[in-house]
Amino acid sequence: MPRTNGTVVGTQVEDTRICVVMVGLPARGKSLIAGKIVRYLRWLSVDARSFNVGTYRRQDTPQPTADFFDINNKEGERMRRAAAEAAVKDMLKWFSQEKGTVAILDATNSTRARRKWLAQTISSRGIEVMFVESKCDDEDLIMSNIMEVKTTSPDYRGQDPEAAARDFRDRIRNYEKVYETITETDYTYVKLINVGTQVVINCIQDYLQSRIVYFLMNLHIKPRSIWLSRHGESMYNLAGKIGGDADLSPRGMRYGEVLPELCRQSGILPQQGITVWTSTMKRTIQTAQHLPYNKLQWKALDELDSGTCDGLTYEEIEEQFPEDFKARDDDKYNYRYRGGESYRDLVIRLEPIIMEMERQENVMVVTHQAVIRCIYAYFMNVPQDRSPWMEIPLHTVIKLTPKAYGTKEERFKANIPAVSTFRPKYSSAKHQEADSPDVNELSVKMSI
Amino acid sequence: MPRTNGTVVGTQVEDTRICVVMVGLPARGKSLIAGKIVRYLRWLSVDARSFNVGTYRRQDTPQPTADFFDINNKEGERMRRAAAEAAVKDMLKWFSQEKGTVAILDATNSTRARRKWLAQTISSRGIEVMFVESKCDDEDLIMSNIMEVKTTSPDYRGQDPEAAARDFRDRIRNYEKVYETITETDYTYVKLINVGTQVVINCIQDYLQSRIVYFLMNLHIKPRSIWLSRHGESMYNLAGKIGGDADLSPRGMRYGEVLPELCRQSGILPQQGITVWTSTMKRTIQTAQHLPYNKLQWKALDELDSGTCDGLTYEEIEEQFPEDFKARDDDKYNYRYRGGESYRDLVIRLEPIIMEMERQENVMVVTHQAVIRCIYAYFMNVPQDRSPWMEIPLHTVIKLTPKAYGTKEERFKANIPAVSTFRPKYSSAKHQEADSPDVNELSVKMSI
């Protein structure tokens, strides 16, 4: 497990290595779940990677028909076995040469014989094996997965969508003939039945496994969106100071007043159930005060603690703590303010928030620049060297809508000017008006 | 959910009310699990209470024999039903009159008919019902529970232990005749199979339910102990200052040197697997440096953040912030230092630590005064008005050993003097030598 500044992400066993082996028929959301586990773990600085057996199989058989997956097709079986072996070989190499922590083996692995072979091969290398089965008999869900596959899978690229869907259903039928749901009680496994409805957990061994299980328990697949907004412009923003617990500026107050309308424009229906989360700081509570929804304050949503630098301007920090100023810009993700926090610390503090956001349906979060950067990085899969440098402008609502493969982003800008609190690397220049010609290009480009 | 200082414990639904209905044969650890849930929730400021149907039944039938539980004993059945009804009635009164949040109905509830009646009766009042079944076929575990019951249950008080065990086994056999394990998929339930081995989770609905489930998932019943120690005396302790990141004093260094021997005296065997957790602060890392075990640093174990008061003496705080000084002593649990934390905040920060301690076997935690107070309060069930005032002396190892009904505490004192950092209410007197005649009596009494 990664350590920086003396902090660990959570597990106490530095050399834990886990192979998560997916199990399930085609069109049961296995790749989606695998992708979510990888994104969650990477956000927590756990080195994770998915190995998709289909990708290996496609090297020799790019566009197989359903016959290829027929149990009586010996040649097909040999080639599918070879693809699984190649994926496992690469995965073991990743563990040994690149010191990986969690690998996901993304394939059907739908027979006891296949699972036995995997359990033996992988655990003999000292790697823990955890099976994650997605079992689903919800016909609507399966159909929507089939529709997704026929339009996105490279197996059917360039083919007639109807024929593709038909063939894919035949392929599933071939898998069903040999499918054995997991009941091997000597293995560590998690069985997800109709994602989020029933979960069976068997023989969880350690901390990292229990975190993955808790994450899987909280997943759901109901459609929903997440709205993010920074507080309105504050008196500290105007003064160029960081931290503190200042009131909103008059322009910040105006942002709070137009926020209900901006929310409606961005698609929050008045009759819709939505909860607004704020931090415990005045500027987020004031910003959310006119929103006609249930509200909840979280201490965990408070701004990154800048310790001894709290209340200073960047210029003052550069003057008073020149070494710290440089060290922070050299490695902004890991730099911990004296007596305060780093982005890495913040991510650990936000982990329960992310978990709860996964469980929730529609939710709006009114919080602070660094906090939104971390939440945004989770949903948009932004790496750590970039996430602390992202521009998150004031007076803008960001709407994120998780889709099967990725997250859709929309930005809604209020027509109320504010300073830009975005600070380029090594600069301590005072905040500029965001609407001036100096505005960072990214902010304009991504706003809608 | 309780709110203080604008912080909430976690759930976003203020009016969540849950009745956890225990399910399972006698001697399956139901009361133990119920007790643990109550202790965990109360520590998180969630108002929780257990209602034991046996206690109600004993009002009319203090010492029944196994015949009383025979399915053919109509009078016994009527009386048992009446006891269940009385418990449910009191429980509903507790929800409505005392605004309770989580009730545990502790009884066998081992038939579908009984569960149906409970589900209907309770959910018609707008209270969520969550069944928690403990299913166990581990003969050793059942036997040890039977041994426990025959010696501790009021049902068998004053009786011959062998006869009591025999009668209790007959009682279990009577329950087995009608026992139906929970499979009602329209109910929210958690089935714990051989505590910690397999868990089945069905239809979890909200945040508080998911927290209870995660807690139950992490429970185990292997014997183990927890060792707690504050860091050795620090330079700040000598100066009477709070907070900071000071080095150990020469006496604190000596404590670090004798700590391995003190650990051995307290029962840590050299070949035993134990992990030492410290905070990220110098004084805990220095204290643990000579311990020959695996070590792990947690940011979450850092001392309570005293914000603007960091680095001051209590005298200086009283001078510079007289109102804060008084406010803190008036309600020490809820008082949040300006720019810092309250004990309530600290408990929320420590929740993942407690969860991981439940999962762990032997673990030693070297941390700070306020942090140990919170951890100790969890295991020893100390209420919030008392926990911030407990004396946790320097240079002392506290060993906690969870038992079936309660936690055993032992204290091991190093023969190295240190100041006492214990501060009585409204006092700002400078730290005294703990070994002087002024030493607080409690510390002497509880040390061994």
Side-chain angles (χ1 to χ4, degrees):
Chain A
M1 293 292 294
R3 292 171 185 245
T4 310
N5 264 345
T7 309
V8 288
V9 169
T11 176
Q12 54 296 334
V13 187
E14 265 197 296
D15 51 1
T16 302
R17 295 181 300 169
I18 303 174
C19 175
V20 173
V21 178
M22 300 304 300
V23 174
L25 291 170
R28 262 63 179 182
K30 294 187 300 299
S31 298
L32 175 60
I33 294 165
K36 282 204 166 221
I37 297 173
V38 168
R39 181 157 60 82
Y40 171 69
L41 292 175
R42 282 192 186 157
W43 184 73
L44 287 173
S45 297
V46 176
D47 190 11
R49 190 170 146 187
S50 179
F51 293 82
N52 180 293
V53 173
T55 311
Y56 287 82
R57 186 257 303 146
R58 269 187 287 276
Q59 287 168 7
D60 289 321
T61 319
Q63 294 203 316
T65 57
D67 307 339
F68 181 79
F69 302 93
D70 190 317
I71 39 165
N72 299 314
N73 183 340
K74 290 294 162 206
E75 179 60 8
E77 201 191 312
R78 195 193 60 75
M79 290 177 82
R80 288 189 289 135
R81 168 84 185 210
E85 282 168 358
V88 169
K89 195 176 153 198
D90 274 7
M91 183 184 75
L92 293 175
K93 208 160 87 181
W94 177 76
F95 274 119
S96 63
Q97 293 182 4
E98 297 180 47
K99 308 290 169 213
T101 304
V102 178
I104 325 275
L105 191 68
D106 182 10
T108 53
N109 302 313
S110 52
T111 63
R112 294 172 70 97
R114 172 59 58 93
R115 292 194 289 268
K116 188 175 175 187
W117 170 68
L118 287 169
Q120 285 174 347
T121 308
I122 298 164
S123 63
S124 71
R125 309 293 180 104
I127 297 160
E128 299 169 8
V129 178
M130 179 163 90
F131 293 95
V132 173
E133 177 172 359
S134 178
K135 201 159 180 282
C136 178
D137 51 21
D138 178 329
E139 283 302 326
D140 292 345
L141 191 59
I142 297 168
M143 266 317 290
S144 100
N145 277 333
I146 291 175
M147 301 303 273
E148 183 81 34
V149 166
K150 77 173 185 191
T151 51
T152 61
S153 168
D155 283 358
Y156 297 107
R157 190 170 293 143
Q159 298 188 21
D160 169 55
E162 285 316 303
R166 219 162 30 239
D167 182 84
F168 190 56
R169 272 193 291 257
D170 287 343
R171 186 196 292 190
I172 295 173
R173 245 167 253 134
N174 276 326
Y175 272 106
E176 279 168 348
K177 287 175 197 158
V178 292
Y179 173 52
E180 297 162 297
T181 187
I182 193 161
T183 52
E184 297 96 316
T185 50
D186 47 336
Y187 295 163
T188 293
Y189 67 77
V190 184
K191 195 186 294 210
L192 302 166
I193 299 162
N194 293 329
V195 190
T197 309
Q198 193 177 86
V199 185
V200 180
I201 300 160
N202 193 66
C203 287
I204 293 304
Q205 297 170 71
D206 57 35
Y207 179 72
L208 194 49
Q209 288 185 0
S210 93
R211 293 310 304 177
I212 296 171
V213 170
Y214 188 55
F215 178 71
L216 291 171
M217 259 175 62
N218 285 318
L219 291 184
H220 70 80
I221 38 169
K222 298 183 197 118
R224 57 90 176 253
S225 293
I226 289 152
W227 285 261
L228 304 174
S229 173
R230 291 178 63 187
H231 54 81
E233 183 187 72
S234 75
M235 298 308 287
Y236 259 40
N237 291 152
L238 281 180
K241 291 180 180 180
I242 66 168
D245 191 14
D247 287 307
L248 292 186
S249 75
R251 297 196 295 198
M253 284 292 187
R254 267 205 285 145
Y255 176 66
E257 284 159 20
V258 304
L259 194 52
E261 177 53 29
L262 201 61
C263 286
R264 273 189 292 276
Q265 284 173 21
S266 71
I268 302 180
L269 303 171
Q271 68 276 23
Q272 221 170 6
I274 185 165
T275 308
V276 178
W277 297 353
T278 67
S279 73
T280 67
M281 289 170 156
K282 283 192 284 185
R283 55 196 187 277
T284 64
I285 296 165
Q286 288 171 1
T287 303
Q289 67 184 314
H290 302 292
L291 290 169
Y293 311 114
N294 284 335
K295 277 162 220 158
L296 186 78
Q297 293 172 24
W298 295 82
K299 175 90 180 150
L301 285 173
D302 282 0
E303 181 56 309
L304 186 141
D305 181 355
S306 45
T308 49
C309 292
D310 190 87
L312 301 182
T313 65
Y314 285 117
E315 221 172 5
E316 289 165 340
I317 298 173
E318 194 178 14
E319 248 175 60
Q320 295 174 30
F321 307 98
E323 280 173 31
D324 286 75
F325 188 79
K326 187 179 172 306
R328 181 157 200 258
D329 280 9
D330 287 346
D331 185 358
K332 198 173 175 185
Y333 189 82
N334 289 308
Y335 172 79
R336 176 183 289 159
Y337 276 112
R338 293 168 190 236
E341 291 176 305
S342 63
Y343 271 85
R344 181 179 293 276
D345 294 332
L346 186 53
V347 158
I348 295 168
R349 157 149 77 84
L350 287 170
E351 200 267 355
I353 296 277
I354 289 293
M355 200 66 97
E356 187 52 16
M357 288 176 91
E358 283 291 352
R359 269 189 21 78
Q360 288 283 317
E361 299 184 24
N362 290 327
V363 61
M364 169 155 204
V365 184
V366 180
T367 175
H368 306 264
Q369 180 165 257
V371 177
I372 292 198
R373 280 178 177 147
C374 293
I375 295 174
Y376 182 95
Y378 170 77
F379 284 102
M380 303 300 283
N381 216 351
V382 182
Q384 293 169 0
D385 56 337
R386 273 184 37 224
S387 60
W389 295 103
M390 284 187 296
E391 179 159 18
I392 308 287
L394 287 166
H395 299 182
T396 304
V397 168
I398 302 174
K399 179 182 178 184
L400 302 178
T401 307
K403 301 274 181 188
Y405 296 93
T407 301
K408 181 181 164 198
E409 175 186 354
E410 297 160 271
R411 295 199 179 196
F412 301 86
K413 214 170 155 58
N415 189 20
I416 296 170
V419 293
S420 163
T421 59
F422 179 78
R423 183 183 65 83
K425 211 178 232 195
Y426 304 122
S427 153
S428 64
K430 209 179 159 308
H431 295 335
Q432 311 261 347
E433 280 294 311
D435 288 338
S436 77
D438 291 309
V439 63
N440 180 289
E441 197 186 79
L442 185 70
S443 142
V444 175
K445 213 167 60 188
M446 292 174 78
S447 301
I448 57 167
Chain B
M1 294 289 295
R3 293 171 184 245
T4 309
N5 265 344
T7 309
V8 288
V9 170
T11 176
Q12 54 295 334
V13 187
E14 265 197 296
D15 52 1
T16 302
R17 294 182 300 169
I18 302 174
C19 175
V20 173
V21 178
M22 300 303 300
V23 173
L25 292 169
R28 262 63 179 182
K30 293 187 301 298
S31 297
L32 175 62
I33 293 165
K36 281 202 167 222
I37 297 173
V38 168
R39 180 158 61 84
Y40 170 70
L41 292 174
R42 283 193 185 156
W43 184 73
L44 286 172
S45 298
V46 175
D47 190 12
R49 188 168 148 187
S50 179
F51 293 83
N52 181 293
V53 174
T55 311
Y56 288 81
R57 187 257 304 144
R58 269 187 286 275
Q59 288 166 8
D60 290 321
T61 320
Q63 294 204 318
T65 57
D67 307 338
F68 182 80
F69 302 94
D70 190 317
I71 41 167
N72 300 315
N73 182 341
K74 290 294 161 205
E75 177 60 8
E77 201 190 313
R78 195 193 59 76
M79 291 177 81
R80 288 188 289 136
R81 169 83 184 211
E85 281 168 358
V88 168
K89 195 176 153 201
D90 273 6
M91 182 184 74
L92 293 175
K93 207 160 86 183
W94 177 76
F95 274 119
S96 64
Q97 293 183 3
E98 298 180 45
K99 308 291 169 214
T101 306
V102 178
I104 325 274
L105 190 68
D106 182 11
T108 53
N109 302 312
S110 51
T111 65
R112 294 172 72 98
R114 171 60 56 95
R115 292 193 290 267
K116 190 175 173 187
W117 171 68
L118 287 168
Q120 285 173 347
T121 308
I122 298 165
S123 63
S124 71
R125 310 293 181 103
I127 297 160
E128 299 169 9
V129 178
M130 179 163 92
F131 292 96
V132 173
E133 177 174 358
S134 178
K135 201 161 180 283
C136 179
D137 51 20
D138 179 327
E139 284 301 329
D140 292 345
L141 192 58
I142 297 168
M143 266 317 290
S144 97
N145 277 334
I146 292 176
M147 302 304 273
E148 184 80 33
V149 167
K150 77 171 186 192
T151 50
T152 61
S153 169
D155 283 358
Y156 296 109
R157 190 169 294 142
Q159 297 187 20
D160 168 56
E162 285 316 304
R166 218 163 28 239
D167 182 84
F168 191 56
R169 270 192 293 258
D170 286 342
R171 184 196 295 191
I172 295 174
R173 245 167 253 133
N174 276 327
Y175 272 105
E176 278 168 350
K177 287 176 197 157
V178 292
Y179 174 51
E180 295 163 297
T181 186
I182 193 160
T183 52
E184 297 96 316
T185 50
D186 47 336
Y187 294 163
T188 294
Y189 68 77
V190 184
K191 194 186 293 212
L192 302 167
I193 299 162
N194 293 328
V195 189
T197 308
Q198 193 177 86
V199 185
V200 180
I201 300 160
N202 193 67
C203 287
I204 292 306
Q205 296 169 71
D206 58 35
Y207 179 73
L208 194 49
Q209 289 186 0
S210 94
R211 293 311 304 178
I212 296 170
V213 170
Y214 188 55
F215 178 72
L216 291 171
M217 259 175 63
N218 285 317
L219 290 184
H220 70 80
I221 38 168
K222 296 182 199 122
R224 58 88 177 254
S225 293
I226 288 153
W227 284 261
L228 305 174
S229 172
R230 291 177 64 189
H231 54 79
E233 183 187 71
S234 76
M235 297 309 286
Y236 259 40
N237 291 151
L238 281 181
K241 291 179 179 179
I242 67 168
D245 190 13
D247 288 307
L248 292 186
S249 75
R251 296 195 296 199
M253 284 293 186
R254 267 204 285 146
Y255 177 66
E257 284 161 21
V258 305
L259 193 53
E261 177 54 29
L262 202 60
C263 286
R264 271 189 293 276
Q265 283 172 17
S266 72
I268 302 179
L269 303 171
Q271 69 277 23
Q272 221 170 6
I274 185 164
T275 308
V276 177
W277 297 353
T278 67
S279 74
T280 67
M281 289 169 156
K282 282 192 285 185
R283 54 195 187 277
T284 63
I285 296 166
Q286 288 171 1
T287 303
Q289 66 183 315
H290 301 294
L291 290 170
Y293 312 113
N294 284 335
K295 277 162 220 158
L296 187 78
Q297 293 172 24
W298 295 82
K299 175 91 180 148
L301 285 174
D302 282 1
E303 182 55 310
L304 186 141
D305 182 355
S306 45
T308 49
C309 293
D310 191 87
L312 301 182
T313 64
Y314 285 116
E315 221 173 4
E316 288 166 340
I317 297 172
E318 194 178 14
E319 247 175 58
Q320 296 174 31
F321 306 100
E323 280 173 33
D324 286 73
F325 188 78
K326 184 176 174 307
R328 182 158 200 258
D329 280 9
D330 286 345
D331 186 358
K332 197 171 176 186
Y333 190 82
N334 289 307
Y335 171 78
R336 178 183 287 159
Y337 276 111
R338 293 168 189 239
E341 291 175 305
S342 63
Y343 271 85
R344 183 179 291 276
D345 294 333
L346 186 53
V347 158
I348 295 167
R349 158 150 77 82
L350 287 172
E351 200 266 356
I353 296 277
I354 289 295
M355 200 66 97
E356 186 53 15
M357 287 176 91
E358 283 292 354
R359 268 190 21 76
Q360 286 285 317
E361 299 184 24
N362 290 326
V363 61
M364 170 157 203
V365 184
V366 179
T367 176
H368 305 266
Q369 180 165 256
V371 176
I372 291 197
R373 281 178 177 148
C374 294
I375 295 174
Y376 182 94
Y378 170 76
F379 283 103
M380 304 300 284
N381 216 352
V382 182
Q384 292 169 1
D385 57 336
R386 273 184 35 222
S387 60
W389 294 103
M390 284 188 296
E391 179 159 19
I392 308 285
L394 287 166
H395 298 183
T396 305
V397 168
I398 301 174
K399 180 182 179 184
L400 301 178
T401 307
K403 301 275 180 188
Y405 295 92
T407 300
K408 180 181 164 197
E409 175 187 351
E410 298 160 89
R411 296 200 179 194
F412 300 86
K413 214 169 157 55
N415 189 20
I416 297 171
V419 294
S420 163
T421 60
F422 179 77
R423 183 182 66 82
K425 212 178 234 197
Y426 303 121
S427 152
S428 64
K430 210 180 158 308
H431 295 334
Q432 310 260 349
E433 281 294 312
D435 288 339
S436 78
D438 291 308
V439 64
N440 181 291
E441 195 185 80
L442 185 69
S443 142
V444 176
K445 210 165 63 188
M446 292 174 78
S447 300
I448 57 167

